[in-house]
Amino acid sequence: MSADHTYELLCLENPLLDIQGQGDDAVLQQYGLKANDAILAEEKHMTLYEELIQNRNAKLLAGGAAQNTARGAQYLLPADSVVFYGCVGKDKYADILQDANKQAGLAVRYRYDEEQATGRCGVIITGHNRSMCTDLAAANCYKIEHLEENWGIAEKAKAYFVGGYHLTVCVPAILKLAEEAAKKNKPFILSLSAPFIPQFFKEPLDQTAPYWDYVIGNETEATSYADSHDLNTHDIPTIAKHLANLPKENKQRKRVAIITQGTDPTVVAVQGEGDAKSWPVHPIGKEEIVDTTGAGDAFAGGFFAGVVQGKDIDSCVDQGQWLAAQSLRELGPSYPFPKKTY
Ligand code: 26A
């Protein structure tokens, strides 16, 4: 695509290769991991990736939460609608990501780091749980200079989706997109990503909050937000309402807060519109679920494809739930090919 193409949605975050294998309590215990969580790897986790590859028949799959969302949104939108920015290494893992992007029709502008390898996410599956342990490596080397060099495309894009995981990487780039969105009245979307983001990255998260036109997360992220902000509640509709009504920079858009809860209803609150509403999820048989990795990313892909299509909230939720159900039937954060139509 030429540099003056107008994308409907630009996504920014960490492009990761998922190394996904079957696990058990012993391996979770060995590495000190919870059954259902996402964390940044420490020194003691560095042998996990080889362990998964050598002993656990691991699959190598395109991952990175916002990159999954970007592929998902592109799945539902006309060709050349979505572009993704992030940083990878010059290696064969980056080639795997590029192949997946190509198949999905997702445009990317990667920064290629000279020294670091492409980031890896070890995904340990136990039943319907997944434990994720990320070695960001090159993904941690995203630089605002890359955004500036690729500003032509970014400036033209009509909406921005930033994965909250990027708050650990490059806050200036996030704020540059956020300010651009507010200035030009474009939607700025932030996902809460994982419980550790509101817990340990509260300050940069709160710095971006006034710019959120949409904020999305699951129930564990919402309760982590509530705890770190002393809301004294774990009631999801109450937290959604709180998020929707935080002070806002761009007064031309009402903020929408979306909280997914696995098989429990999806909750949405709109700024100034009273209590949150909820929608039951599309039922899917337990035996049909291959794994839950990336279901939330898929929901976001479907939901925000709907937003850029100008759909109402009912339809966006429905489209998000539909795409999540598709992803649940695939291995890893993937979507069915040949394509199914919504
Ligand atoms: C900074 N961290 C921890 C992360 C991630 C991440 N994506 C970006 N940054 N930790 C896990 N993921 C991705 O989440 C997806 C499932 O929702 C994994 O790569 C996986 O594809």
Side-chain angles (χ1 to χ4, degrees):
M1 260 308 125
S2 67
D4 60 3
H5 183 71
T6 300
Y7 291 95
E8 297 297 319
L9 182 65
L10 180 148
C11 303
L12 167 71
E13 208 207 40
N14 311 320
L16 302 176
L17 187 83
D18 284 1
I19 301 178
Q20 171 166 334
Q22 289 296 325
D24 49 31
D25 289 344
V27 70
L28 292 176
Q29 220 169 25
Q30 182 190 344
Y31 288 98
L33 300 169
K34 294 183 198 155
N36 214 11
D37 204 3
I39 64 159
L40 288 167
E42 298 163 35
E43 206 46 51
K44 66 175 181 190
H45 298 118
M46 288 305 165
T47 56
L48 169 67
Y49 307 97
E50 274 310 302
E51 159 76 22
L52 288 168
I53 291 171
Q54 300 296 336
N55 303 327
R56 307 240 166 212
N57 191 26
K59 303 277 180 304
L60 305 185
L61 300 161
Q67 189 172 238
N68 301 335
T69 293
R71 288 197 315 281
Q74 181 57 67
Y75 192 87
L76 286 159
L77 292 170
D80 304 316
S81 291
V82 186
V83 63
F84 179 82
Y85 285 17
C87 186
V88 294
K90 293 183 164 172
D91 51 30
K92 62 177 193 305
Y93 282 181
D95 298 340
I96 297 177
L97 298 187
Q98 286 289 23
D99 287 346
N101 298 333
K102 213 169 156 194
Q103 191 199 24
L106 174 67
V108 295
R109 285 286 183 283
Y110 283 152
R111 173 178 186 272
Y112 285 89
D113 195 74
E114 295 290 336
E115 274 138 45
Q116 294 282 328
T118 298
R120 302 169 294 178
C121 177
V123 185
I124 303 170
I125 306 289
T126 50
H128 288 166
N129 289 323
R130 88 284 181 271
S131 190
M132 303 191 288
C133 183
T134 294
D135 173 22
L136 279 171
N140 209 15
C141 301
Y142 190 80
K143 303 273 184 283
I144 181 127
E145 289 77 15
H146 176 271
L147 180 59
E148 285 162 357
E149 284 157 19
N150 293 277
W151 188 246
I153 287 178
E155 192 178 23
K156 283 197 197 70
K158 293 191 196 159
Y160 304 121
F161 178 99
V162 175
Y165 283 126
H166 209 67
L167 289 165
T168 78
V169 174
C170 189
V171 177
I174 299 173
L175 288 173
K176 188 169 165 71
L177 291 177
E179 284 161 10
E180 169 72 10
K183 205 163 67 191
K184 308 266 180 72
N185 189 24
K186 303 182 206 181
F188 179 82
I189 306 155
L190 189 110
S191 93
L192 294 174
S193 292
F196 84 84
I197 296 292
Q199 197 180 356
F200 298 119
F201 293 84
K202 178 173 185 265
E203 203 180 298
L205 178 67
D206 290 346
Q207 236 184 313
T208 66
Y211 297 99
W212 305 339
D213 294 296
Y214 295 84
V215 57
I216 184 164
N218 68 22
E219 74 281 27
T220 64
E221 294 147 20
T223 53
S224 163
Y225 182 94
D227 290 345
S228 66
H229 291 77
D230 300 320
L231 301 191
N232 291 318
T233 180
H234 277 185
D235 181 60
I236 297 299
T238 305
I239 300 168
K241 189 175 173 182
H242 176 89
L243 289 169
N245 289 290
L246 289 171
K248 194 163 181 301
E249 178 74 21
N250 177 2
K251 308 275 190 298
Q252 298 181 66
R253 291 177 184 274
K254 292 181 185 174
R255 183 182 297 115
V256 181
I258 307 117
I259 310 294
T260 60
Q261 317 188 75
T263 52
D264 287 340
T266 305
V267 172
V268 179
V270 180
Q271 187 177 25
E273 293 190 4
D275 287 343
K277 294 185 189 143
S278 68
W279 287 261
V281 300
H282 290 197
I284 156 168
K286 267 206 156 148
E287 63 297 337
E288 282 182 77
I289 298 178
V290 177
D291 78 75
T292 58
T293 316
D297 307 335
F299 176 89
F303 188 97
F304 294 111
V307 167
V308 305
Q309 288 166 312
K311 295 188 173 183
D312 62 14
I313 289 177
D314 276 343
S315 313
C316 292
V317 170
D318 192 73
Q319 192 160 282
Q321 294 188 351
W322 180 84
L323 196 63
Q326 301 310 315
S327 172
L328 285 164
R329 295 188 178 94
E330 301 289 314
L331 187 69
S334 312
Y335 308 99
F337 278 93
K339 265 196 188 188
K340 294 203 179 144
T341 37
Y342 170 67

